Amino acid sequence: MFDKIELSVSPYDTAWVAMVPSLELPQAPCFPQCINWLLDNQVNDGSWGLHNRPSWLVKDAVLCTLACVLALKRWGIGEEQMNKGIQFIMSNFASVTDEKQQTPVGFDIIFPGMIECAQDLNLNLPLRSSDINAMLERRHLELNRNYTTGRKEYLAYVSEGIGKLQDWEMVMKYQRKNGSLFNSPSTTAAALTHFHNAGCLHYLSLLLEKFGNAVPTVHPLDIYINLTMVESLESLGVDRHFRTEIKRVLDETYRFWLQGEEEIFLDLTTCAMAFRLLRLNGYDVSSDPLTQFAEDNQFFNSLKGHLKDIRAVLELYRASQITIYPDESVLEKQQFWTSHFLKQELSSGSIHSNRFSQNVSSQVEDALKFPYHVNLERLAHRRNINLYNVDNMRILKTSYCSLNIGNEYFQKLAVDDFNICQSMHIEELKHLERWVVEKRLDKLKFARQKQTYCYFSVAATLFSPELSDARMSWAKNAVLTTIVDDFYDLGGSEEELLNLIELLERWDVEEAKNCCSEQVEIIFSALRSTICEFGDKTLTWQGRNATSHIVETWLNLLQSMFKEAKCLRNKSVPTLDEYMENAYASFALGPIIFPAVYFVGPKLSEEVVRDPYQTRYQQYLISIDLKTLDIQGFKRESKEGKLNSVSLQMTYSDGNMTEVEAIEKIKVVIKSTRRELLRLVLKEEGSIVPRACKDLIWKMSKVLHLFYMNTDGFSSNVEMVKAVSEVVYEPISVNM
């Protein structure tokens, strides 16, 4: 599929190409092969178009059939086919005014225009004059509506329906480098008929060389289709199986981007999708090309804006979320109006009335509910598998389809892959639960037993089978950090807290003699065995033992937790900077993330492990999630006498800041910090840290958002229970 783009041919557009007269001999067709194709490809019911069309696409079939009948009449050939076509049109003429029928783009201009053309050709269509007049009146009103820039472009796009009334010199201003008008064979053919142009002729000739004796309704579409395949594979969670193909597509798209390729920049859907996929995959692309759509009025002054193209707005909305620079106000403006527009369309119900947009409406709801920075991969994959539309039909001036855009193979692969990964997750969770019992961690009465949530947090992000060691490292260390957090918060005396730190500092000690309590002995024993387990495994993955680095990470955590515990017991009030400085270590992410980076694939030198940016990534992540947690837990922690960033903001404002103002100020900081974190994660140039390692930080950010968006951590709620079940326990079953 990556090697060959499949695109259906269009009887409608082929008919318009067939009507082009020869430049040397106007009494003969310029492209006689198209006439032959029309003669050979009539459907048994007398129509041209889809053989098994749905009942709501009859209007499209009537449009295609009339175009084909006109082409045959134009050259006085195929009387039998014409008669069958006219009979089909008359039998289904009621669909022309049927609101339940899907209406092709420009139908109210093009169809009456073709009726007028039929009259000029003396084609006998037994229609009532009142019906004809009503259609022509609708066309007149449509042609004389407010003349905005977007409408001007739209009228140029449907030029074949305007015919002699069209300002063809104005239309030719939209001609592209490939010779076409809007990459539309029908518009280009109409222009060539009325305004002889070498570029138009060249475009249509090349098209027929490529497709044989017929043409599609839009071409070229290769970049859009290839990007759609990449988007599908990524959103379904199976892109890792196609890394080579995806890289080839993105490299080629980036080259076209740098060259200013019209196929990208003259189609805002393609442009927005290319921008998002390139930027998320580490390519350095500017948001400048999207400046023309920063405001809603700019969008509605474009062709797709005039048509209220929901797919285009959705792509602009998705692209607007990939903001990584402070001066990208264009994306912020774009996000504001696109989200507002999409919400309006959903609430009005208009998006559901378009049969070709019904699947898009589900995608819109999902995109609005789960912005990029909170969209947890495995939950997103599951939703996307269920939302995936295997009906690959689209509609412009007529319907078309591409097997590359939507097909059952992508969905089937994704279902099988999800369920295979999930079966492994269930076994790993069972192992984790046994490990908790073996290490006697379940005997610690003060500790929260959250191994299912700890495992879920990694299965929802690092899900592929080969990452089993990374998952188990993450999950076991997450269980241990939860227990240690409870130990330093509630369960341990000052003597025990210090004892645990000393044991870790001395490392090789006899536990029975040096542990001051059974609680310390259980925790230290579990810590040491787990650190050794994954320290030894780093030898296999990295060619060196990373035990000392993991120990160091744990020591930083315990020392910061002890410092925090002393502050709480002494009731001392740190400054906001002091609070954040200590929180960078005490937030307990280091022992979860840093050991896991050794097991995600790339070989890591000591320089990479000690890279200052590693600390910076973690600080940004903690700043985002600690402040989110602080907002969520402010009231509870205030009652418990604990300090957090909200209360400290208020304390150091000398009473000049309310709770609401403090929270709003923190939200602004969270937004800018998240943008900077994403920039560092996506940045390739000048970064020595492999992308797979940086992704762990971003994935953790998404995990923590799910944990903290409604509660303050591991508190059970309906959404969390449902999420765990969907990722770990419930296999996917899709009717295909």
Side-chain angles (χ1 to χ4, degrees):
M1 293 175 110
F2 277 102
D3 292 335
K4 185 178 181 183
I5 300 298
E6 297 284 350
L7 194 59
S8 61
V9 292
S10 162
Y12 171 80
D13 289 84
T14 302
W16 279 101
V17 175
M19 283 188 263
V20 176
S22 169
L23 302 186
E24 291 80 22
L25 190 63
Q27 294 78 26
C30 187
F31 303 104
Q33 64 269 48
C34 293
I35 298 289
N36 294 331
W37 187 90
L38 297 179
L39 292 171
D40 294 339
N41 285 275
Q42 189 173 27
V43 182
N44 290 334
D45 64 2
S47 69
W48 275 268
L50 300 172
H51 286 257
N52 298 308
R53 79 178 68 86
S55 60
W56 41 269
L57 258 186
V58 177
K59 187 182 288 190
D60 176 51
V62 170
L63 182 77
C64 289
T65 303
L66 180 55
C68 294
V69 169
L70 287 177
L72 297 179
K73 179 66 175 177
R74 173 75 176 80
W75 305 115
I77 192 171
E79 186 173 349
E80 181 184 345
Q81 288 90 338
M82 274 193 285
N83 289 334
K84 287 176 66 179
I86 291 170
Q87 187 177 353
F88 174 83
I89 292 168
M90 299 313 302
S91 300
N92 295 276
F93 191 75
S95 67
V96 172
T97 55
D98 186 353
E99 295 299 323
K100 294 180 181 178
Q101 283 287 314
Q102 183 66 47
T103 303
V105 171
F107 183 87
D108 287 340
I109 291 176
I110 294 172
F111 191 76
M114 289 198 296
I115 294 292
E116 211 170 44
C117 182
Q119 292 175 328
D120 292 343
L121 291 172
N122 296 317
L123 178 67
N124 182 26
L125 289 174
L127 297 173
R128 292 180 303 182
S129 58
S130 58
D131 290 336
I132 294 175
N133 290 335
M135 283 189 293
L136 292 175
E137 178 62 24
R138 276 201 306 274
R139 176 172 174 249
H140 175 75
L141 292 173
E142 187 71 16
L143 289 173
N144 288 281
R145 281 168 54 196
N146 292 336
Y147 209 64
T148 62
T149 304
R151 180 161 180 72
K152 181 179 177 183
E153 193 173 353
Y154 164 70
L155 292 177
Y157 176 59
V158 296
S159 286
E160 66 267 34
I162 301 175
K164 297 172 185 175
L165 300 176
Q166 183 62 280
D167 178 355
W168 289 100
E169 290 196 9
M170 177 277 291
V171 172
M172 295 310 294
K173 291 176 182 177
Y174 293 100
Q175 188 170 32
R176 301 187 178 183
K177 291 176 183 176
N178 62 13
S180 79
L181 291 156
F182 306 100
N183 286 341
S184 167
S186 53
T187 311
T188 308
L192 182 58
T193 299
H194 290 272
F195 196 95
H196 294 169
N197 178 274
C200 292
L201 179 63
H202 180 69
Y203 168 76
L204 294 174
S205 299
L206 286 181
L207 215 51
L208 287 166
E209 280 182 29
K210 181 178 178 66
F211 287 91
N213 299 331
V215 297
T217 200
V218 57
H219 191 273
L221 202 60
D222 293 22
I223 296 176
Y224 172 76
I225 290 176
N226 273 318
L227 289 173
T228 301
M229 281 197 290
V230 172
E231 160 69 13
S232 294
L233 295 170
E234 289 187 353
S235 68
L236 295 172
V238 291
D239 51 300
R240 68 188 188 282
H241 300 298
F242 302 92
R243 289 193 182 110
T244 302
E245 291 83 1
I246 288 174
K247 187 175 188 308
R248 190 172 75 232
V249 167
L250 294 178
D251 283 347
E252 185 176 50
T253 303
Y254 184 55
R255 188 172 71 251
F256 286 142
W257 181 283
L258 296 178
Q259 292 170 354
E261 173 59 50
E262 286 185 340
E263 195 179 338
I264 294 176
F265 295 109
L266 291 183
D267 181 80
L268 71 89
T269 312
T270 305
C271 184
M273 189 187 295
F275 168 79
R276 175 170 57 87
L277 291 176
L278 288 173
R279 182 169 275 193
L280 287 177
N281 282 280
Y283 296 82
D284 184 18
V285 288
S286 167
S287 58
D288 288 350
L290 297 174
T291 303
Q292 57 185 316
F293 306 112
E295 307 280 359
D296 55 351
N297 63 327
Q298 293 171 309
F299 170 74
F300 289 114
N301 268 330
S302 69
L303 174 59
K304 293 205 171 183
H306 177 79
L307 298 174
K308 287 193 174 182
D309 189 321
I310 297 296
R311 291 182 194 275
V313 181
L314 179 58
E315 281 304 328
L316 285 172
Y317 173 68
R318 287 170 170 164
S320 70
Q321 297 175 58
I322 317 302
T323 310
I324 60 175
Y325 297 112
D327 58 349
E328 288 190 312
S329 59
V330 54
L331 296 182
E332 292 182 5
K333 291 177 183 176
Q334 188 175 297
Q335 186 171 354
F336 173 78
W337 79 258
T338 51
S339 62
H340 179 70
F341 175 80
L342 292 172
K343 287 172 186 174
Q344 271 192 327
E345 290 296 296
L346 282 177
S347 62
S348 69
S350 60
I351 191 172
H352 300 287
S353 64
N354 186 329
R355 293 175 185 273
F356 283 98
S357 297
Q358 285 178 359
N359 179 257
V360 180
S361 68
S362 299
Q363 294 177 26
V364 168
E365 289 173 350
D366 192 71
L368 291 171
K369 188 176 181 181
F370 302 100
Y372 174 72
H373 67 273
V374 304
N375 204 8
L376 203 56
E377 282 94 328
R378 217 47 179 158
L379 290 171
H381 296 157
R382 187 180 186 109
R383 293 194 309 273
N384 291 331
I385 290 169
N386 287 316
L387 290 174
Y388 189 73
N389 186 15
V390 296
D391 180 3
N392 55 38
M393 193 179 296
R394 305 284 177 91
I395 194 163
L396 290 168
K397 286 188 279 191
T398 184
S399 57
Y400 70 99
C401 57
S402 169
L403 288 175
N404 307 71
I405 289 179
N407 62 80
E408 62 188 49
Y409 306 113
F410 282 5
Q411 190 182 46
K412 187 177 188 312
L413 172 63
V415 169
D416 291 346
D417 186 80
F418 189 99
N419 291 339
I420 288 168
C421 291
Q422 193 180 67
S423 65
M424 179 177 280
H425 297 163
I426 291 171
E427 293 306 312
E428 288 174 350
L429 179 54
K430 288 177 182 176
H431 168 77
L432 184 67
E433 289 168 339
R434 289 194 300 269
W435 171 81
V436 167
V437 174
E438 288 168 7
K439 299 302 176 186
R440 297 175 293 153
L441 296 172
D442 58 327
K443 304 296 184 188
L444 300 171
K445 301 304 179 187
F446 63 83
R448 291 167 290 174
Q449 299 298 319
K450 297 293 182 181
Q451 50 266 32
T452 301
Y453 280 180
C454 289
Y455 182 76
F456 158 79
S457 72
V458 65
T461 52
L462 300 176
F463 52 86
S464 57
E466 68 273 14
L467 297 177
S468 181
D469 283 342
R471 279 193 297 278
M472 295 315 296
S473 169
W474 177 309
K476 287 183 178 180
N477 282 306
V479 169
L480 288 171
T481 56
T482 304
I483 289 169
V484 167
D485 183 47
D486 290 344
F487 185 56
Y488 276 78
D489 264 359
L490 304 166
S493 66
E494 187 168 334
E495 180 191 5
E496 287 176 312
L497 306 187
L498 275 171
N499 185 216
L500 185 58
I501 294 173
E502 289 166 357
L503 289 166
L504 204 60
E505 286 174 335
R506 291 163 63 190
W507 187 245
D508 290 317
V509 295
E510 193 175 335
E511 295 164 18
K513 290 182 180 179
N514 291 276
C515 294
C516 69
S517 69
E518 185 183 15
Q519 289 189 148
V520 173
E521 189 268 323
I522 290 172
I523 296 172
F524 179 64
S525 175
L527 267 176
R528 187 161 69 170
S529 64
T530 304
I531 291 170
C532 288
E533 176 190 353
F534 291 105
D536 290 343
K537 284 187 175 181
T538 58
L539 193 59
T540 304
W541 281 82
Q542 300 290 333
R544 61 190 176 85
N545 192 305
T547 299
S548 60
H549 180 230
I550 302 173
V551 171
E552 182 184 324
T553 304
W554 268 104
L555 265 174
N556 288 339
L557 173 64
L558 297 186
Q559 288 163 350
S560 64
M561 282 183 168
F562 180 71
K563 184 177 178 181
E564 206 171 73
K566 281 190 71 174
C567 278
L568 184 60
R569 290 174 187 186
N570 297 335
K571 296 186 177 179
S572 58
V573 181
T575 65
L576 187 57
D577 287 343
E578 289 170 340
Y579 171 77
M580 290 304 300
E581 187 65 34
N582 194 60
Y584 291 142
S586 69
F587 202 62
L589 296 185
I592 300 173
I593 293 175
F594 285 140
V597 300
Y598 290 110
F599 309 114
V600 292
K603 288 287 179 71
L604 306 177
S605 66
E606 193 67 21
E607 181 189 13
V608 169
V609 172
R610 303 288 178 183
D611 183 63
Y613 275 100
Q614 291 275 33
T615 304
R616 230 171 126 189
Y617 301 145
Q618 186 180 344
Q619 287 177 347
Y620 284 144
L621 171 60
I622 291 168
S623 178
I624 294 165
D625 293 297
L626 177 62
K627 286 170 182 172
T628 305
L629 175 58
D630 283 352
I631 291 171
Q632 203 61 249
F634 168 68
K635 286 184 169 56
R636 177 185 58 78
E637 291 185 334
S638 294
K639 289 177 184 176
E640 295 172 358
K642 291 184 178 179
L643 295 169
N644 70 23
S645 56
V646 178
S647 56
L648 288 171
Q649 285 273 13
M650 295 168 66
T651 298
Y652 286 106
S653 71
D654 295 326
N656 294 322
M657 188 177 289
T658 65
E659 176 189 336
V660 173
E661 289 170 336
I663 288 173
E664 284 306 310
K665 185 173 181 180
I666 289 171
K667 284 181 177 178
V668 171
V669 175
I670 288 173
K671 185 177 179 180
S672 64
T673 307
R674 182 183 289 121
R675 181 185 62 217
E676 181 61 15
L677 174 60
L678 182 58
R679 185 184 71 80
L680 290 174
V681 169
L682 299 181
K683 184 182 176 184
E684 296 285 348
E685 189 178 346
S687 174
I688 63 170
V689 181
R691 175 67 183 271
C693 300
K694 292 190 287 185
D695 277 344
L696 285 187
I697 302 285
W698 187 251
K699 291 174 190 292
M700 176 62 90
S701 174
K702 292 184 176 186
V703 168
L704 292 175
H705 184 276
L706 177 68
F707 275 68
Y708 299 147
M709 66 180 179
N710 293 322
T711 64
D712 54 352
F714 285 122
S715 305
S716 290
N717 61 70
V718 175
E719 283 193 40
M720 280 296 297
V721 172
K722 183 173 181 286
V724 170
S725 181
E726 288 181 343
V727 169
V728 181
Y729 294 114
E730 292 179 22
I732 297 180
S733 178
V734 177
N735 294 324
M736 289 180 284

